[in-house]
Amino acid sequence: MKKFIIIVISICLIFTLASCEKKKNDSNSKAEVNELYAAEEISFDFKSETDLLKKYPKFSNGEAVQFKYDFNAPEYKELLAKYPITKIAGEGSEFKRAMRLVDEYAPRLTHESNYDNHVEENSLDLLKYSLDNPKKGINCRAKSKILNEMCLALGIYSRRVFISPYSSMDSDSHVVNEIYDTVLNKWIMIDMTTDAYFADENGTPLSILEIRQRAIEDEYLAMIKQNEKIDVENDSADSITYYMKNIFFFYLYEKQGYGTKGFDDGMVYFQPEGFDVKKFTISRMENRLGLLKMNYANEETINSMEKDLKHMKKSEFKIGSTDSLIAK
């Protein structure tokens, strides 16, 4: 199946939408952008998306980053007291415990791609707002925050990873979690939104870097979604293709802990060689600003966006070494 999408909007950390759906906008609505990242039509199929990854197989050399994990936030006590997280997680490996949490809570959190992130970004407020309330859905960014803090409260190394596509015209991005499993001695990607993870031919769960590399090398990949296995040959719903589109580059906070953080609060980017994440981000911001102006957004919103754009152009982007993503 092929879908051609023209997509606009922002990097989900700066703007209020972390959409998990594909959208199409009129090509006449786009602002002037860096042509390198402004492909208007995206062929949404597994081969096209993996072919793009194959053009950028290696990541830029970056600095070594020592990620920090806060296991002792005082709010964790309230989280564990309010919700039966410890009981649900049970015993066993970190991966098994985390997946029990996902299997329990993912179906009880309604997905809403247009959720505006108005609730404070922490597990207590997000669960109070959305858990078992279908009328109050939240997006992947919020769901990953809930799982992240649940795992940290249990002493499990956990981080949110923002995964993004190549084109700055593509508004669609996604947020997932990685947890460190001491039995397998590796990081594993878990998706709180889809109740899914990826595995190799032996059933071993994979990290984001491993998923990307296997796609580049045409090695076996299966998505275990809601305990059902989907492989590439049987990917009728484009489930795997969706991730292939969104694992072009990654970024995450240097410190993982409780509560909301701002854009400048220790963000680290992992970019492929030949790709400039800062130019991409500016291009995407310009796209959204142009769309807002065309749709006559209120002056306050436009002024705020222009201020953000000026700030972005002056900002330094910290580029990390992928070795930092492998280490604990």
Side-chain angles (χ1 to χ4, degrees):
M1 178 174 63
K2 290 191 176 182
K3 300 174 184 176
F4 291 94
I5 24 181
I6 302 174
I7 26 191
V8 195
I9 305 182
S10 67
I11 192 164
C12 60
L13 286 173
I14 304 167
F15 312 118
T16 57
L17 293 179
S19 171
C20 295
E21 296 178 346
K22 301 173 289 294
K23 296 181 177 148
K24 188 171 183 177
N25 296 304
D26 191 316
S27 61
N28 293 327
S29 69
K30 71 175 189 280
E32 290 185 5
V33 293
N34 184 322
E35 292 182 0
L36 181 60
Y37 310 129
E40 291 184 26
E41 293 187 343
I42 301 166
S43 181
F44 189 78
D45 63 77
F46 183 83
K47 185 177 185 306
S48 296
E49 301 302 343
T50 54
D51 281 349
L52 178 59
L53 294 177
K54 291 173 183 177
K55 293 179 181 178
Y56 297 86
K58 296 181 180 180
F59 281 80
S60 299
N61 291 326
E63 60 183 287
V65 179
Q66 183 64 55
F67 290 99
K68 300 177 180 65
Y69 302 88
D70 182 4
F71 299 108
N72 300 306
E75 293 86 354
Y76 294 155
K77 291 182 180 180
E78 182 180 354
L79 179 64
L80 295 175
K82 275 192 170 184
Y83 302 95
I85 295 167
T86 303
K87 181 179 179 181
I88 291 169
E91 301 295 329
S93 70
E94 289 86 352
F95 171 66
K96 289 180 179 178
R97 295 168 69 202
M99 281 307 303
R100 290 190 192 110
L101 292 174
V102 174
D103 290 340
E104 171 67 25
Y105 286 101
R108 297 168 61 187
L109 294 165
T110 300
H111 183 72
E112 176 53 64
S113 62
N114 292 324
Y115 164 69
D116 61 5
N117 298 310
H118 68 279
V119 177
E120 283 293 317
E121 196 173 76
N122 64 71
S123 55
L124 286 169
D125 287 333
L126 289 168
L127 285 167
K128 181 180 178 180
Y129 173 79
S130 186
L131 186 64
D132 298 325
N133 193 339
K135 294 183 179 180
K136 294 183 177 180
I138 54 177
N139 57 19
C140 55
R141 171 177 170 175
K143 292 181 183 183
S144 67
K145 185 60 173 170
I146 291 171
L147 180 61
N148 201 44
E149 293 181 4
M150 285 181 172
C151 289
L152 291 171
L154 293 174
I156 298 172
Y157 281 86
S158 175
R159 60 196 186 196
R160 286 197 302 167
V161 185
F162 296 77
I163 57 177
S164 287
Y166 167 83
S167 175
S168 64
M169 297 294 288
D170 189 343
S171 67
D172 180 66
S173 57
H174 197 41
V175 191
V176 296
N177 296 84
E178 282 194 319
I179 62 98
Y180 193 87
D181 187 275
T182 56
V183 174
L184 295 173
N185 198 31
K186 66 192 291 292
W187 289 96
I188 299 169
M189 190 211 81
I190 299 175
D191 192 342
M192 181 69 154
T193 299
T194 58
D195 190 356
Y197 64 94
F198 278 76
D200 64 14
E201 62 274 18
N202 298 313
T204 304
L206 303 169
S207 69
I208 294 175
L209 282 176
E210 289 172 327
I211 294 167
R212 192 181 193 277
Q213 193 60 34
R214 279 186 161 265
I216 290 170
E217 296 178 1
D218 295 321
E219 295 183 343
Y220 179 84
L221 272 176
M223 179 182 181
I224 315 301
K225 182 177 181 180
Q226 298 169 355
N227 297 311
E228 293 185 10
K229 184 166 72 171
I230 305 170
D231 59 29
V232 174
E233 288 73 20
N234 298 311
D235 189 18
S236 59
D238 292 320
S239 298
I240 298 177
T241 299
Y242 176 76
Y243 290 89
M244 297 304 102
K245 182 182 78 67
N246 281 325
I247 57 172
F248 186 78
F249 74 95
F250 326 127
Y251 50 100
L252 59 155
Y253 288 112
E254 193 166 349
K255 182 177 180 179
Q256 302 289 321
Y258 185 87
T260 306
K261 294 176 173 55
F263 166 72
D264 290 327
D265 194 4
M267 186 64 70
V268 184
Y269 295 83
F270 299 87
Q271 65 181 17
E273 289 182 357
F275 182 82
D276 189 320
V277 70
K278 182 173 182 177
K279 287 183 180 179
F280 166 89
T281 305
I282 291 171
S283 176
R284 194 139 105 170
M285 289 184 74
E286 290 174 339
N287 287 332
R288 188 181 185 221
L289 182 59
L291 184 64
L292 290 173
K293 289 180 177 179
M294 187 199 72
N295 290 324
Y296 304 103
N298 66 66
E299 187 175 350
E300 182 179 354
T301 300
I302 291 174
N303 289 341
S304 176
M305 179 66 67
E306 288 178 335
K307 182 179 178 181
D308 287 341
L309 181 58
K310 288 180 181 179
H311 173 71
M312 179 64 62
K313 290 179 177 179
K314 296 178 181 178
S315 297
E316 294 293 329
F317 280 60
K318 186 173 184 177
I319 307 300
S321 163
T322 51
D323 288 342
S324 304
L325 290 175
I326 299 171
K328 185 175 178 181

